[in-house]
Amino acid sequence: MFTGIQTLTISNGIDLQKFHPPLSFDDETATRTKLNLPLNIPIILHVGRLDTDKHVERIITAAVLALQNTDAHLLIVGDGCEKNSLMNFCSSFEIAHRVHFSEFISDRQYLSEIYRMASLFVTASEIETQGIVLLEAAASGLPVVAVEATCIPEIIQDQINGYLVKPGDTHALSDAIMKVLAYPDQATHMGQAGYKRV
């Protein structure tokens, strides 16, 4: 008797020789120095194309509260048409000194070190079809804050290896970032769960 077809989603493969936790203290210090980041402070990380459809301005808006209430910094890695606008956007919130922009990084080893020294990964994109940056972040042991859209819930399980919020809800995005920063032990467990999932 036919009982139906069970489906299983298999995501892209990630090189776990490069993307894995943890980063040694010396390597983390060197990576932070290259990026002009202070030592021993939490890093909120976004990696991706800086174009309108990626909604990076929502990440900045959501991060404002976290930056006001913690000593965290925001690191945005990538290039795109919106980069200058986003930098001006940070200035309008008077958080430019706590937000760091890096160029697109093609060196996968160096990129993996950036993931591994961050505290969490955040994206507001609603158009992901493969979610490679999410997989790289999870493989690096990071809790992920993302939106509930496209393939993202296949990778990020809400309250298991990160938080999912409704698209466009910057308040919920901000709350999720604050939760990760406020509960480091829980964040560590989420990062471990993400690594296992990848």
Side-chain angles (χ1 to χ4, degrees), residues 4-193:
I5 299 172
Q6 184 177 11
T7 60
L8 175 65
T9 301
I10 300 175
S11 296
N12 281 282
I14 296 297
D15 184 352
L16 297 181
Q17 298 299 312
K18 287 195 173 91
F19 296 94
H20 61 86
L23 192 63
S24 73
F25 176 79
D26 288 345
D27 287 342
E28 178 170 341
T29 300
T31 301
R32 285 179 182 251
T33 301
K34 280 185 207 174
L35 294 164
N36 199 28
L37 295 170
L39 301 179
N40 303 317
I41 53 97
I43 299 294
I44 303 163
L45 175 65
H46 172 76
V47 175
R49 184 167 42 84
L50 305 184
D51 291 327
T52 307
D53 56 355
K54 293 290 191 173
H55 300 299
V56 181
E57 77 286 350
R58 293 178 185 170
I59 294 169
I60 294 167
T61 302
V64 169
L65 186 60
L67 299 186
Q68 289 172 345
N69 290 284
T70 70
D71 57 355
H73 283 225
L74 173 62
L75 173 60
I76 298 172
V77 176
D79 271 320
C81 299
E82 294 295 303
K83 187 168 189 175
N84 287 336
S85 296
L86 293 168
M87 293 173 87
N88 290 334
F89 195 52
C90 291
S91 295
S92 72
F93 279 116
E94 299 183 350
I95 58 168
H97 62 294
R98 303 272 297 281
V99 181
H100 308 263
F101 286 83
S102 169
E103 302 292 328
F104 169 77
I105 295 172
S106 60
D107 180 347
R108 305 308 281 175
Q109 185 61 45
Y110 181 37
L111 183 59
S112 74
E113 291 170 2
I114 292 172
Y115 279 111
R116 290 161 63 204
M117 62 91 196
S119 303
L120 71 145
F121 184 86
V122 61
T123 181
S125 174
E126 301 167 21
I127 61 164
E128 299 305 309
T129 55
Q130 312 260 343
I132 292 174
V133 292
L134 300 172
L135 291 164
E136 290 174 345
S140 303
L142 294 183
V144 175
V145 175
V147 296
E148 193 173 353
T150 60
C151 70
I152 295 172
E154 296 169 3
I155 301 167
I156 307 306
Q157 297 173 293
D158 188 43
Q159 301 183 56
I160 304 296
N161 61 336
Y163 292 102
L164 292 176
V165 304
K166 297 297 180 191
D169 190 342
T170 54
H171 292 294
L173 201 64
S174 182
D175 287 346
I177 291 169
M178 290 291 291
K179 280 182 194 172
V180 174
L181 293 175
Y183 301 103
D185 289 344
Q186 182 179 353
T188 298
H189 290 308
M190 285 183 164
Q192 291 167 347

